[in-house]
Amino acid sequence: MFSINKNFTVSESYISGSEHKIIIIDNAFNDLEKIINYANNTAYFQHPGKDGTLYPGSRDEMPAPYYEAFTTLLGCVFPSSIKHQIARCWLSKITVKPDQLSPMQTMPHYDSLLNEDMAAVHYLSGNELGGTNFYRYRECENITLSQSDEPLIINMLKQHQASKATGYIEQSNEVFEKVHSVEAKPNRIIIYSGNILHSPSVTKYVDFDKKSPNSRTSINSFFKRLN
C-alpha cells in the first residue's frame, strides 16, 4: 500500500528574496486511493493536542511501511551523500474551527530552530482545501529563525498577541509578511526547512469533521539532515 511511484517528478520553487527553496514532488506514491482509504477508514485519530503539538486537528502516526517508503523517496530525491533520520510521519486532519483556535494557532509557526531539521507535507486533498503558505516576521531580516533569535521570537509572540488576530492566517498582516505559497495537489509532497515560518492554508471549503470527504488531509513528516 505504501510504495513510491517510479515516475514521480521533482521541481523547485525558490522563496523570493532568499536562498531557500521548496522541493516539490508530484505523483509521489503509488495507489493514492489506498492511502486515502487508510486515512478515512483505518487510521485512529487522536484528539487535537494529543500529539504534543499545537497542530489544530486530529492525528495518527503512520505505520512503518510509510516510513520505509518515505525514506526511499528521500534517497531518490537527494544526493546519495546526504542521509536523513526521520522523526515522525503524522497523518493529519484539520478539525479545529477558526473560532476555536488558541492565540498561538492563529499565527504561522516553525517546526524547529535547527538548520538541519526539515519538514514535509504529503497532500491527500487538492488545492480547493488549501496548500501551504510561508511567512517572514516583519522585524527579522531572514526568513529563518534560529536558537540565537530567542529575544526576537519573544517580541514576535508579544506583537502577535497584541494584534488580537483570529482565525487561520491566510495573508500578510501587521506582524507577518506572506512571502511564498505552494498549491496543494493530491499526491504532491513538499519539503522545506523546518525553521521557516509557515501555516496551512485553510479555505472556505474545508469541513472540520474528520469523517467528511472535505476534511483537509495530509501526512506531515519531520526529519533531520545528518550531513
Side-chain angles (χ1 to χ4, degrees):
M1 180 168 67
F2 304 119
S3 62
I4 64 169
N5 176 10
K6 294 181 180 179
N7 296 317
F8 69 80
T9 61
V10 180
S11 58
E12 297 176 346
S13 180
Y14 280 85
I15 298 177
S16 178
S18 81
E19 60 183 13
H20 291 274
K21 63 184 178 182
I22 314 298
I23 297 173
I24 302 173
I25 307 166
D26 284 313
N27 301 313
F29 274 58
N30 290 316
D31 299 322
L32 178 64
E33 289 304 318
K34 290 183 179 179
I35 299 177
I36 294 173
N37 182 66
Y38 174 85
N40 292 335
N41 300 303
T42 304
Y44 178 79
F45 286 96
Q46 306 175 58
H47 293 296
K50 289 293 185 179
D51 64 331
T53 75
L54 290 172
Y55 180 78
S58 301
R59 279 180 157 172
D60 187 17
E61 187 173 2
M62 291 298 289
Y66 185 89
Y67 280 70
E68 294 167 4
F70 186 68
T71 299
T72 299
L73 182 66
L74 293 179
C76 294
V77 172
F78 290 94
S80 59
S81 59
I82 299 178
K83 305 300 180 184
H84 300 92
Q85 182 180 56
I86 300 175
R88 286 287 185 274
C89 297
W90 289 112
L91 179 62
S92 310
K93 286 179 178 280
I94 287 180
T95 57
V96 179
K97 295 180 180 179
D99 61 356
Q100 297 174 333
L101 295 172
S102 70
M104 290 288 287
Q105 292 172 317
T106 63
M107 63 180 283
H109 66 279
Y110 55 85
D111 300 314
S112 171
L113 293 175
L114 301 177
N115 288 327
E116 63 266 26
D117 286 350
M118 308 291 289
V121 180
H122 186 176
Y123 301 108
L124 304 189
S125 45
N127 202 52
E128 69 279 1
L129 301 182
T132 302
N133 296 325
F134 296 85
Y135 296 84
R136 180 184 65 85
Y137 173 44
R138 290 189 181 276
E139 295 194 11
C140 183
E141 293 184 4
N142 300 320
I143 65 165
T144 56
L145 295 170
S146 68
Q147 291 176 318
S148 63
D149 289 324
E150 182 178 352
L152 193 73
I153 293 170
I154 292 173
N155 191 54
M156 177 182 75
L157 296 175
K158 288 180 178 178
Q159 287 188 11
H160 173 71
Q161 290 179 332
S163 74
K164 299 187 184 302
T166 59
Y168 288 95
I169 185 169
E170 285 290 333
Q171 303 299 331
S172 299
N173 60 27
E174 61 191 83
V175 183
F176 302 101
E177 177 191 6
K178 185 167 78 170
V179 294
H180 199 71
S181 294
V182 179
E183 291 188 352
K185 287 184 179 180
N187 212 14
R188 164 176 283 182
I189 294 177
I190 65 170
I191 297 174
Y192 51 91
S193 178
N195 60 356
I196 301 175
L197 289 168
H198 58 279
S199 183
S201 174
V202 181
T203 74
K204 64 181 180 180
Y205 300 107
V206 171
D207 288 337
F208 298 94
D209 180 354
K210 62 185 179 183
K211 296 181 180 179
S212 170
N214 286 329
S215 63
R216 187 186 183 281
T217 308
S218 61
I219 301 171
N220 300 74
S221 299
F222 306 95
F223 58 97
K224 184 181 297 291
R225 187 176 60 246
L226 298 179
N227 54 347

